[in-house]
Amino acid sequence: MKSATKILIIDDHPSIIEGYKSIFYTKYSPEELLIAIALNCESAFLTLTKHQHEFDLILLDLELPPFPQEKLFSGEDLAMLIRKQNKQTKIIILTSHTEAFVLYNISKKINPEGILVKSDFKPDELLHAMQLVLEENYYYSATVKNAIKEVAVRNDALDSYDRRIILLLSKGIKTKNMPEHMGITLSAIDKRKAQIKVFFDIQKGNDEDILREAKKRGLV
C-alpha cells in the first residue's frame, strides 16, 4: 500500500489554510494526504524540529509572525532552515507579493520547487503544481515566470556560469562531470540548471530541452 503524502502548510491566515485543504481534498482522501499546519514562525519551527524528516511537501507563505529567539523573521528564513534540515523536502512558496524583484530574489535565494502568487492561481493550478513538484519537477506560475524574466533580462540573468553550463551540455559533458570543468560544486550546478529551465520556461524537461531553447535563442 502506498504511504500517505505528508504536507505542512505554513500560513498565518487559518481561512487560507482551510481553503488549501479543501482544494486538496477535492482530489485526495484524508488517508492519502496527511496535513499539518503552522500559523507562525514559532509553531513552524517547533513542528519542523519535531518532525524534520517527515514532510514530503511544505506550502509556505513569506509573511509570517516572527520567532526572534531562533532568528526566524519570515517565511524566507524558514525556507532556508527547511533546506538545511532536509534537502529532500519540496517547497512551494505561496505569496501575495507580485513585485518582480521580490519574486526573482525568492527564486534565486531559496530555489523552491514551486512559486505561485495567491491572487492569480485557481484550484486546478495548485493541484497541478503539487503533482509536478512531488514528481521531481518545478512549477512557477505565469506571473512568477514573467516577473523572473523581466528582472533576468535587465540583469543579464544567464551569467558566465550559466552560459558555461549550456556550452558544456552542447559538447556532451554530463552534469556529474561538470565540476571538473567549472570549479563549482555539483549542487551549485544543479541549482543553476533549475534556474536556466525557469528562464527558458521549461516545466518538464531534460538537458536536450535546455539545448533546444538555447539554440532558439542563439546561445549555442
Side-chain angles (χ1 to χ4, degrees):
M1 182 177 177
K2 184 179 178 181
S3 60
T5 299
K6 297 178 181 178
I7 297 177
L8 174 61
I9 304 175
I10 307 173
D11 196 295
D12 62 336
H13 296 92
S15 60
I16 289 179
I17 291 177
E18 290 305 311
Y20 295 154
K21 290 168 67 175
S22 296
I23 291 170
F24 292 146
Y25 288 141
T26 62
K27 184 172 182 180
Y28 302 95
S29 71
E31 290 74 29
E32 293 175 296
L33 293 183
L34 297 180
I35 299 177
I37 66 172
L39 299 174
N40 49 51
C41 287
E42 181 176 2
S43 60
F45 173 80
L46 295 174
T47 300
L48 290 167
T49 301
K50 186 176 180 180
H51 306 283
Q52 61 178 288
H53 298 298
E54 294 188 13
F55 294 108
D56 302 296
L57 175 65
I58 295 177
L59 273 62
L60 177 61
D61 188 17
L62 292 181
E63 299 296 327
L64 296 166
F67 186 30
Q69 293 90 324
E70 292 294 332
K71 298 182 179 180
L72 298 171
F73 298 97
S74 67
E76 184 176 306
D77 294 330
L78 280 172
M80 302 305 290
L81 175 65
I82 294 163
R83 285 289 190 234
K84 183 178 179 181
Q85 283 186 342
N86 186 3
K87 291 181 170 49
Q88 301 306 311
T89 299
K90 310 300 181 187
I91 300 173
I92 294 180
I93 301 292
L94 299 168
T95 180
S96 298
H97 285 287
T98 58
E99 304 93 328
F101 190 70
V102 172
L103 296 172
Y104 179 82
N105 282 343
I106 292 169
S107 71
K108 282 292 186 182
K109 185 172 182 180
I110 301 173
N111 189 34
E113 283 74 18
I115 312 176
L116 294 91
V117 174
K118 289 182 180 182
S119 61
D120 67 6
F121 73 80
K122 294 180 170 57
D124 286 348
E125 185 175 12
L126 180 58
L127 289 169
H128 182 55
M130 184 183 89
Q131 182 179 353
L132 281 177
V133 166
L134 289 173
E135 292 174 352
E136 306 293 331
N137 295 295
Y138 279 68
Y139 186 88
Y140 288 10
S141 69
T143 297
V144 176
K145 287 188 288 190
N146 289 336
I148 290 172
K149 287 179 182 178
E150 178 186 331
V151 178
V153 169
R154 291 203 305 262
N155 291 278
D156 192 21
L158 293 181
D159 63 17
S160 59
Y161 283 108
D162 299 326
R163 294 174 187 276
R164 180 69 175 163
I165 288 171
I166 294 170
L167 179 61
L168 291 173
L169 288 175
S170 72
K171 293 182 176 181
I173 304 297
K174 296 186 180 298
T175 301
K176 65 180 181 180
N177 297 324
M178 285 187 184
E180 303 171 17
H181 300 267
M182 297 188 63
I184 59 176
T185 66
L186 183 59
S187 175
I189 291 168
D190 284 334
K191 287 181 179 179
R192 284 179 172 276
K193 283 180 66 178
Q195 293 303 321
I196 291 169
K197 286 183 180 180
V198 171
F199 183 70
F200 284 167
D201 196 13
I202 299 172
Q203 282 187 26
K204 286 185 175 181
N206 52 27
D207 293 346
E208 291 181 2
D209 296 293
I210 291 176
L211 283 175
R212 186 181 305 112
E213 284 299 319
K215 289 175 181 176
K216 285 182 184 178
R217 298 163 189 255
L219 297 175
V220 291

